């Protein structure tokens, strides 16, 4: 037993290092890539197949063996902006003109690899514990150093990991529950330009970075009506990330300004998931999910002590920034199926509709989110009694949406529309220890 736990701790440590060293991505910043098997079939809170269940509904842990799951998902997004971009020069007092481009376009092509790790351990027939180490929330857009929207944004990146230990108990033959804390690390980096070319010869650069740990909790219920039918309810709480870090402004060839007093708060919204799973016959199963995300907890982002070149009116150069969002709650729907082809292969497929919390009046190039329709296809190959491999390929169709991005710190604007699409491939290894 000690050797087993030593192996698990080794895998967990590698997973933690991998997640913290990988930039995390999403079209919106709620990530859905914790488990390729669950993503492929859409039965999140009711499908109990592997230790990834711990993330979606910990109540299902009581039906699993001791198991380790290691997953990886590669996500490639294409975002294209077209419209008008402007920028106010911070050196206007020295004769620097403002920037106006009425035929503006920009493209972002982030590609990232997301790891995820899960572990389950049952004991005394009715209890179980589990742990997941996964990316859960994130952003990544990279428009480049010369793009037309660089005065609003060059690049934004997050590094994030959620560590979710759980305890589960079987109440009787039908009901089980699970709950546990969430320990969430969030790191944010952003870079944009300032239009100072006529005076400095090239753009100046504004950057900030911040990070911290936050805490939340999760809980789940699972009703096993019979051997063929399950209904699951999962909940993850709001987590407020109060991050601290640095802000700097490099005024090219003239001066540099920096502060380590920068602060920013980002609430991560609570989410509730209801799923149903039904075995139609020995080879076919159907499942579906309704998820409710309470994005309305985010009305604005508030940054304190953002640094800019000092002026007579503001000799410190420090300013507080409010970025209005006015997010609205969303309802996400998915339906999926399993087909057991033979003793070795099981095929999966699902459709998922996801609403967007963003509002046209405040949608930014950093978060060009839209309503999405995902088409997911997957398969499981049972290598032997102890090892299985899951695979997924998916494409996400995004609605064209308007952009009305006004940088509250610099006054730069990007107004137009974006088109986005997402492709992903993923795989995981399921090991019955």
């Amino acid at each position: 037993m000690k050797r087993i736990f030593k192996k698990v701790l080794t895998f967990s440590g590698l997973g933690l290092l991998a997640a913290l060293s990988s930039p995390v991505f999403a079209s919106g910043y709620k990530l859905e890539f914790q488990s390729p098997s669950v993503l492929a079939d859409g039965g999140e809170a009711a499908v109990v197949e592997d230790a990834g269940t711990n993330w979606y509904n910990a109540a299902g842990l009581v039906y699993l063996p001791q198991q380790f799951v290691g997953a990886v998902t590669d996500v490639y997004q294409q975002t294209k902006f077209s419209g008008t971009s402007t920028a106010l020069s911070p050196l206007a007092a020295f004769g620097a003109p403002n920037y106006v481009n009425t035929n503006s376009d920009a493209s972002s092509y982030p590609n990232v690899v997301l790891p995820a790790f899960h572990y389950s351990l049952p004991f005394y027939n009715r209890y179980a514990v589990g742990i997941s180490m996964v990316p859960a929330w994130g952003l990544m857009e990279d428009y480049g150093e010369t793009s037309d929207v660089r005065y609003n944004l060059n690049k934004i990146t997050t590094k994030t990991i959620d560590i979710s230990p759980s305890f589960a108990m079987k109440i009787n033959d039908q009901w089980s529950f699970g709950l546990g804390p969430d320990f969430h690390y969030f790191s944010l980096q952003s870079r944009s330009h300032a239009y100072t070319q006529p005076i400095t010869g090239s753009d100046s650069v504004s950057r900030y970075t911040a990070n911290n740990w936050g805490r939340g909790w999760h809980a789940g219920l699972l009703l096993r009506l019979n051997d063929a039918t399950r209904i699951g309810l999962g909940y993850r709480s709001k987590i407020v990330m109060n991050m601290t870090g640095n802000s700097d402004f490099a005024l090219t060839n003239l001066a540099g300004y920096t502060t380590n007093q920068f602060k920013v708060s980002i609430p991560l919204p609570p989410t509730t998931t209801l799923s149903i799973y039904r075995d139609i016959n020995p080879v076919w199963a159907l499942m579906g999910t309704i998820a409710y995300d309470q994005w309305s907890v985010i009305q604005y982002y508030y940054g304190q002590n953002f640094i800019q070149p000092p002026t007579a009116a503001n000799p410190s150069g420090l300013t507080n920034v409010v970025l209005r969002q006015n997010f609205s709650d969303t309802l996400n729907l998915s339906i999926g199926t399993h087909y057991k082809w033979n003793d070795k292969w099981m095929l999966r497929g699902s459709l998922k509709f996801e609403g967007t919390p963003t509002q046209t009046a405040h949608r930014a190039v950093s978060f060009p989110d839209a309503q999405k329709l995902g088409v997911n296809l997957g398969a499981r190959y049972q290598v032997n009694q102890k090892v299985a491999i899951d695979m997924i390929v998916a494409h996400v169709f995004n609605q064209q949406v308007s952009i009305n991005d006004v940088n509250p710190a610099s006054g730069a604007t990007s107004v137009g529309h974006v088109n986005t699409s997402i492709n992903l491939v993923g795989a995981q290894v399921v090991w019955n220890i």
Side-chain angles (χ1 to χ4, degrees):
M1 182 64 71
K2 288 182 179 180
R3 291 179 62 190
I4 291 175
F5 280 112
K6 185 175 180 181
K7 289 180 180 179
V8 171
L9 289 173
T10 301
F11 286 134
S12 299
L14 291 173
L16 178 61
L17 290 173
L20 288 178
S21 64
S22 298
V24 174
F25 150 88
S27 170
Y29 64 82
K30 179 188 176 186
L31 298 177
E32 302 286 353
F33 313 126
Q34 292 83 14
S35 169
S37 62
V38 174
L39 180 61
D41 57 36
E44 302 176 9
V47 175
V48 182
E49 289 185 353
D50 55 59
T53 293
N54 178 71
W55 174 257
Y56 300 95
N57 185 355
L61 289 169
V62 296
Y63 298 106
L64 295 171
Q66 184 181 9
Q67 193 176 81
F68 172 80
V69 175
V72 63
T73 305
D74 181 86
V75 187
Y76 175 67
Q77 175 183 317
Q78 303 177 64
T79 300
K80 295 184 178 181
F81 167 84
S82 298
T84 298
S85 296
T86 68
L88 304 176
S89 175
L91 299 181
F94 298 92
N98 295 327
Y99 171 86
V100 178
N101 186 340
T102 58
N103 192 27
S104 175
D105 61 72
S107 298
S108 175
Y109 302 99
N111 184 84
V112 295
V113 177
L114 303 174
F117 301 89
H118 310 275
Y119 174 71
S120 62
L121 176 65
F123 59 97
Y124 296 134
N125 296 321
R126 58 182 298 200
Y127 303 105
V129 293
I131 188 170
S132 297
M133 291 184 290
V134 299
W137 305 90
L139 283 169
M140 184 174 180
E141 294 291 353
D142 186 356
Y143 294 98
E145 295 296 312
T146 61
S147 81
D148 293 338
V149 301
R150 64 189 181 276
Y151 302 114
N152 273 80
L153 181 72
N154 289 124
K155 184 177 182 179
I156 186 168
T157 307
T158 68
K159 297 179 182 179
T160 175
I161 183 172
D162 193 293
I163 302 174
S164 300
S166 304
F167 169 79
M169 184 178 76
K170 187 187 295 184
I171 302 172
N172 54 38
D173 289 340
Q174 288 188 310
W175 289 95
S176 62
F177 77 90
L179 76 166
D182 284 85
F183 304 99
H184 193 93
Y185 174 80
F186 200 106
S187 172
L188 173 65
Q189 303 86 35
S190 181
R191 176 186 175 96
S192 60
H193 281 205
Y195 186 62
T196 61
Q197 291 182 28
I199 302 297
T200 62
S202 62
D203 288 339
S204 296
V205 175
S206 177
R207 300 178 299 178
Y208 65 81
T209 180
N211 65 85
N212 207 347
W213 285 87
R215 295 184 300 275
W217 60 277
H218 60 273
L221 282 172
L222 186 67
L223 172 60
R224 191 182 180 99
L225 292 174
N226 50 51
D227 290 341
T229 306
R230 297 186 294 273
I231 299 173
L233 179 66
Y235 177 79
R236 307 198 78 85
S237 75
K238 173 183 175 181
I239 302 176
V240 178
M241 303 305 307
N242 294 312
M243 295 179 286
T244 59
N246 300 286
S247 172
D248 65 77
F249 191 102
L251 192 56
T252 304
N253 298 324
L254 293 178
Y257 309 92
T258 186
T259 177
N260 60 4
Q261 302 175 54
F262 179 68
K263 300 178 182 180
V264 63
S265 293
I266 297 180
L268 306 179
T271 184
T272 304
T273 305
L274 176 66
S275 301
I276 185 168
Y277 174 95
R278 172 73 176 175
D279 284 317
I280 304 302
N281 55 44
V283 297
W284 282 101
L286 291 176
M287 62 220 72
T289 295
I290 300 175
Y292 180 64
D293 297 333
Q294 294 174 247
W295 289 99
S296 59
V297 300
I298 304 176
Q299 294 301 299
Y300 59 86
Y301 298 127
Y302 182 54
Q304 301 178 64
N305 300 320
F306 185 82
I307 194 75
Q308 293 180 302
T311 64
N314 182 19
S316 71
L318 298 178
T319 185
N320 296 334
V321 177
V322 175
L323 182 60
R324 182 63 58 181
Q325 296 295 299
N326 289 350
F327 282 172
S328 57
D329 297 340
T330 62
L331 197 65
N332 310 316
L333 307 173
S334 60
I335 184 169
T337 186
H338 289 170
Y339 174 70
K340 296 178 182 178
W341 190 6
N342 54 38
D343 291 339
K344 289 288 187 179
W345 286 96
M346 180 168 68
L347 307 180
R348 312 176 193 269
S350 66
L351 293 174
K352 180 169 185 176
F353 169 81
E354 185 174 339
T356 177
T358 59
Q359 304 297 314
T360 298
H362 305 287
R363 191 177 292 114
V365 292
S366 61
F367 188 23
D369 196 55
Q371 289 186 347
K372 296 177 282 293
L373 178 64
V375 180
N376 310 305
L377 299 174
R380 166 169 287 196
Y381 178 68
Q382 194 70 42
V383 179
N384 53 46
Q385 290 184 343
K386 286 187 171 292
V387 178
I389 299 174
D390 288 296
M391 298 153 279
I392 182 176
V393 294
H395 179 77
V396 182
F397 299 90
N398 288 251
Q399 180 186 32
Q400 178 178 289
V401 290
S402 298
I403 293 291
N404 186 29
D405 192 341
V406 180
N407 188 316
S410 68
T413 68
S414 292
V415 179
H417 63 270
V418 294
N419 292 280
T420 304
S421 66
I422 304 169
N423 294 288
L424 65 93
V425 295
Q428 70 178 20
V429 175
V430 180
W431 174 31
N432 292 330
I433 301 174

